[in-house]
Amino acid sequence: MSAPLSPGEAGKRYRLGRIFGATGRTVVLPVDHGLMLGRVSGLEDPVASLTQFLSHGCDGFLIGPGVARRTAELFADRGTPARIVTIDTYWRDKSGGVGSLVAQLAAVAALGVDGVKLLLPWDVEPRERCANAALVGSVIAEADGLGLPVMVEPIALEMAPSPERVAVEADGCRMAAELGADIVKVAYPGDPSTLAAWREEVGVPVVILGGPQGGSGDELVTMVSEAMAAGASGIVIGRKVWQRPAHEAHELLDRLAAVVHA
């Protein structure tokens, strides 16, 4: 018989099961953009946006702590989607960037959520990289004791798509893994073999973000298909879905869910 799990390990295993389910894959719809971007077109009412997608193929939602409190009753039933809460924010100007926690882990855990998410900007100066890594590392250490999985999003915020950006985000993925991330959320690098190598190296589930609105639904489905074939464990895509007309958004989310869980 295997040794019993610690309370933190048991809680984390339970919550990861809520996020990824029996297939080991997940479709997460983020509606947390207001924490960093303010009032976003198509997300003026994040509670309404969340509500309309509850029955359209979502395995989970990525939300802010305030929305988690306001929508608790929507998830107070068996079989409802998982909830991952973004607990930080980040702003940048010409002098540099600064990230900060906006919620305490104990308070988020009290909400009964299934995980937390942090940004890891990586196209920054060494001093800021150190600060970002220290923030993420401290959260992971505390979350381990609370049984909360931590999703980390390594990202190049200012760089245009290029091989150089892919290299920066590859380094960020490695840092996220070194810090102990349970899930890595990253942009699709445009090449299945590159993503497969990242997935092998980090050793934890890798989920693909969507980014700003743009491109056709067919192009998005193709990208997700390539990512899943390369070993991704799911998607965390929001603006490319809910910034479309409602009927089109619902249809696209259903198509994406079919690809992820094929």
Side-chain angles (χ1 to χ4, degrees), residues 31 45-54 61 63 67 71 74-75:
V31 293
D45 185 345
V47 174
S49 296
L50 181 154
T51 303
Q52 72 165 311
F53 288 105
L54 273 172
F61 291 92
I63 56 182
V67 173
T71 60
L74 297 178
F75 297 89

Side-chain angles (χ1 to χ4, degrees), residues 30 39 67-68 77 83 92 144 150 178 217 219:
R39 194 171 186 270
V67 173
D77 195 6
R83 293 175 297 161
R92 178 183 290 179
D144 280 346
V150 179
E178 294 288 349
E219 289 171 335

Side-chain angles (χ1 to χ4, degrees), residues 155-229:
I155 190 168
L157 287 170
E158 298 293 332
M159 300 176 71
S162 64
E164 290 75 21
R165 175 173 180 155
V166 170
V168 167
E169 293 186 337
D171 287 344
C173 287
R174 178 57 180 267
M175 177 56 74
E178 294 288 349
L179 292 170
D182 300 290
I183 307 165
V184 174
K185 174 191 174 190
V186 70
Y188 180 57
D191 173 59
S193 62
T194 299
L195 180 61
W198 290 0
R199 171 64 182 87
E200 183 69 23
E201 185 171 337
V202 301
V204 297
V206 172
V207 293
I208 302 301
L209 61 84
Q213 182 185 24
S216 69
D218 288 343
E219 289 171 335
L220 183 60
V221 170
T222 297
M223 182 272 282
V224 170
S225 297
E226 290 182 2
M228 298 308 300

Side-chain angles (χ1 to χ4, degrees), residues 9 32 35 47 96 99 104 111 127 139 199 212 236 238:
E9 291 169 333
D32 64 330
L35 280 170
V47 174
Q104 298 301 311
L111 291 169
R127 186 180 300 274
V139 168
R199 171 64 182 87
V236 184

Side-chain angles (χ1 to χ4, degrees), residues 5 16 18 27 103 111 142 157 172 174 196 218 237 252:
L5 299 173
L16 285 170
R18 288 264 304 143
V27 174
L111 291 169
E142 184 179 353
L157 287 170
R174 178 57 180 267
D218 288 343
I237 295 177
L252 178 58

